[in-house]
Amino acid sequence: MKGRELALLTDLYELTMMQGYFATGAYKKKVVFDLYYRKNPSGNGYAIAAGLEQAIAYIKGLQFTKEDINYLISLDIFTEEFINYLKDFRFSGDIYAIPEGTVVFPHEPLLRVTAPIMEAQLIETALLNIINHQSLIATKASRVVWAAQGDPVMEFGLRRAQGPDAGTLGARAAVIGGCCGTSNVLTGKLFDVPVKGTHAHSWVMSFHDEITAFREYARLFPENCLLLVDTYNTLASGVPNAIKVFQEMKAAGKLTGKYGIRLDSGDLAYLSKCAKIMLEEAGFGDAIISASSDLDENLIASLKSQGAKINLWGVGTKLITSDDCPAFGGVYKLAAEEGDDGVFIPKIKLSNNPGKVTNPGIKKVFRIYDKKTRKIKADIIALTDETIDESQCLKICDTSAKWRNMHLAAGTYVVKELLVPIFIDGELVYESPKTMEIQEFCNSEKNSLWDEHLRLNNPHIVPVDLSEKLAHLKNQLIDEMSSK
């Protein structure tokens, strides 16, 4: 996002609403918007927050260029006065956010924006675009990595991604979610993450025979010699020829780095078991057996359950596109607006769908950990003036089912606030960690979940409840709005 002109990366109605606020004189009124999502993707028990670094870059660079202004004039929709306002537009508000790599749950504000209404309105579309995409891919990657049970997973979906941005930033998100590296060289350059790869079938086909192709590749890349063995016949020629090359490398004292084979087609469980036997019998039991071929978390989990001898997974299309769940579903909703006296008035949106009723007011998120295990017990969405005293007993009530509640004894739990300041009065006050640092943090975050929360199917759901004060406010506003 850095250095890109993205002021027009918005829906038209954001600009028309802005002109409406400008015309009515309401444009200086401050409001609070929450960015959150309603449902975990892919049936998961959690999501991974990602994309904040790019959201920051967008906000920092947000201004209308001369070309932008000329284009808006050409639409013949906007008044001269409004156009003149846009010429000097800059974001001047506050943004609080949950840091990248954090485990998050539905309805928790991932970002909280406090700004004049025109500024808060304009940034809605771009923030959703950025946060939705990377959070989706980071979550998908986390599922794939969990299925691999400790084996490294490499992302290599660039050629199947929906465009350069999706491929490049999706690879970044996949690394945050736990992938050991990516095939995307641009992602490696921009975000200082490991780049990895082997060779294609075309490499083998470009030589007069398979063994020559393997020998040349081994000569060029002896420290990272992974040979693709399924171009012609995996077990009859591919694996035997790879073994022959490994023997030659060993005899020459050049088998000193990573080496092994890659399977890209066929019955991966059967082929990997046969290849493992062949490699072990030849004295190469430590060789890597990597696999690709339209893998996702479910296929990897199935292969693991079948005893497949694969220990490096290359995952492309179904990861970079989040094949089974193509959208994250984040929304951006008004939570409060400034009154004439400067005091913020909580706002609520009602709906025939109970899941779409918003949580009003200016909020924070408390995460409650078990003090002994450091595992998450629950999250509480509360109003910003609320606190939790760890030296006191804590009762957590399920606001949707009053008979379900949790009692935590004093001294047995630890509390952490998740939202941290990013922009204050338009000034950046936060420094984004490097991508690999975010990955390390994300790994620690996933360790705070119980195994039951991590399973791929029908995971146990972490309780996310409203504080008693917020629940009371919400019910009060529902009653007031319903009576109008």
Side-chain angles (χ1 to χ4, degrees):
M1 299 294 160
K2 187 177 180 181
R4 297 174 68 178
E5 298 168 357
L6 296 176
L8 297 186
L9 184 67
T10 191
D11 294 304
L12 179 62
Y13 82 164
E14 309 287 15
L15 290 164
T16 55
M17 283 190 290
M18 288 174 68
Q19 176 163 277
Y21 296 136
F22 185 83
T24 60
Y27 64 95
K28 292 183 179 179
K29 176 178 65 177
K30 288 187 176 181
V31 293
V32 178
F33 276 88
D34 294 331
L35 189 157
Y36 62 95
Y37 71 102
R38 296 187 178 117
K39 183 180 179 181
N40 287 322
S42 303
N44 214 35
Y46 64 93
I48 302 295
L52 180 59
E53 181 179 323
Q54 286 65 50
I56 289 170
Y58 160 73
I59 295 294
K60 283 184 64 179
L62 186 55
Q63 59 181 308
F64 291 85
T65 66
K66 184 177 180 180
E67 291 77 13
D68 294 338
I69 294 296
N70 288 339
Y71 173 72
L72 293 177
I73 291 172
S74 75
L75 296 177
D76 200 25
I77 297 174
F78 304 106
T79 65
E80 183 179 353
E81 293 79 10
F82 178 62
I83 289 291
N84 287 333
Y85 164 81
L86 293 181
K87 289 178 181 178
D88 296 318
F89 182 92
R90 297 290 188 280
F91 181 78
S92 65
D94 302 341
I95 296 179
Y96 281 67
I98 295 178
E100 290 190 273
T102 303
V103 166
V104 291
F105 307 106
H107 300 287
E108 298 178 340
L110 307 186
L111 274 78
R112 188 183 76 216
V113 176
T114 304
I117 192 166
M118 293 173 68
E119 298 177 22
Q121 199 75 71
L122 175 64
I123 64 178
E124 172 183 7
T125 304
L127 288 181
L128 285 170
N129 176 274
I130 295 165
I131 301 298
N132 275 339
H133 173 244
Q134 288 202 55
S135 297
L136 177 70
I137 304 304
T139 306
K140 183 68 171 180
S142 181
R143 285 174 59 83
V144 172
V145 169
W146 185 87
Q149 298 178 23
D151 296 339
V153 175
M154 186 183 77
E155 183 283 320
F156 64 13
L158 177 59
R159 63 189 61 191
R160 302 285 177 78
Q162 284 96 343
D165 280 354
T168 301
L169 295 174
R172 174 186 185 270
V175 171
I176 288 173
C179 289
C180 66
T182 176
S183 67
N184 188 329
V185 181
L186 181 58
T187 297
K189 174 192 172 186
L190 292 176
F191 304 112
D192 193 25
V193 301
V195 289
K196 300 176 181 292
T198 56
H199 63 79
H201 295 102
S202 58
W203 171 267
V204 178
M205 295 163 65
S206 68
F207 292 84
H208 70 275
D209 58 23
E210 187 175 55
I211 187 69
T212 303
F214 287 177
R215 282 171 174 154
E216 280 301 299
Y217 193 82
R219 182 181 67 83
L220 293 168
F221 304 104
E223 295 300 311
N224 188 32
C225 185
L226 288 180
L227 302 175
L228 182 56
V229 295
D230 71 335
T231 305
Y232 302 119
N233 188 308
T234 302
L235 300 180
S237 67
V239 177
N241 281 330
I243 289 172
K244 188 177 295 184
V245 170
F246 298 153
Q247 290 170 335
E248 293 169 356
M249 293 175 71
K250 185 176 181 180
K254 294 182 178 179
L255 197 68
T256 57
K258 295 180 180 179
Y259 76 100
I261 62 171
R262 176 160 74 96
L263 305 170
D264 190 50
S265 61
D267 186 328
L268 298 179
Y270 171 75
L271 292 173
S272 67
K273 292 176 187 178
C274 293
K276 181 67 173 178
I277 293 171
M278 295 166 72
L279 288 163
E280 285 183 336
E281 289 178 348
F284 300 108
D286 62 343
I288 294 168
I289 301 178
S290 64
S292 45
S293 187
D294 284 332
L295 297 172
D296 65 5
E297 66 270 36
N298 297 307
L299 183 51
I300 290 173
S302 175
L303 289 166
K304 297 288 282 189
S305 71
Q306 296 172 59
K309 300 303 181 182
I310 299 161
N311 52 19
L312 172 62
W313 305 86
V315 187
T317 303
K318 293 187 177 182
L319 168 54
I320 203 66
T321 64
S322 187
D323 178 74
D324 64 322
C325 181
F328 190 66
V331 295
Y332 185 84
K333 297 299 180 182
L334 181 68
E337 69 175 10
E338 189 178 31
D340 294 337
D341 58 359
V343 176
F344 280 91
I345 303 166
K347 293 288 182 176
I348 191 169
K349 171 188 173 291
L350 301 185
S351 172
N352 288 330
N353 182 343
K356 290 189 174 183
V357 176
T358 61
N359 292 319
I362 309 176
K363 299 174 289 295
K364 61 172 65 169
V365 182
F366 292 115
R367 178 150 293 167
I368 314 299
Y369 298 91
D370 181 89
K371 190 172 184 177
K372 183 177 181 180
T373 65
R374 299 298 299 187
K375 300 290 187 182
I376 299 174
K377 299 289 289 184
D379 280 5
I380 301 174
I381 305 173
L383 297 171
T384 51
D385 62 353
E386 295 189 80
T387 59
I388 296 178
D389 185 351
E390 296 173 1
S391 67
Q392 301 295 317
C393 295
L394 179 64
K395 180 181 178 181
I396 301 173
C397 296
D398 187 331
T399 53
S400 62
K402 291 293 186 181
W403 61 91
R404 292 202 302 250
N405 52 65
M406 183 187 306
H407 294 267
L408 301 179
T412 66
Y413 65 92
V414 177
V415 180
K416 176 183 177 182
E417 279 194 40
L418 297 189
L419 288 161
V420 300
I422 309 298
F423 286 90
I424 300 295
D425 295 331
E427 296 296 322
L428 180 63
V429 297
Y430 178 84
E431 183 176 353
S432 293
K434 293 182 178 180
T435 302
M436 297 308 293
E437 293 172 339
I438 299 172
Q439 184 198 71
E440 183 178 357
F441 171 69
C442 185
N443 289 337
S444 69
E445 280 285 291
K446 287 183 283 185
N447 286 335
S448 69
L449 293 167
W450 299 93
D451 289 343
E452 292 80 2
H453 300 139
L454 292 163
R455 63 190 177 213
L456 298 179
N457 298 310
N458 299 314
H460 188 72
I461 302 301
V462 172
V464 179
D465 295 318
L466 306 184
S467 70
E468 186 175 341
K469 186 175 180 180
L470 177 55
H472 176 75
L473 172 64
K474 184 174 183 177
N475 290 329
Q476 179 184 348
L477 290 180
I478 290 173
D479 291 340
E480 290 176 4
M481 296 299 106
S482 299
S483 64
K484 289 187 176 182

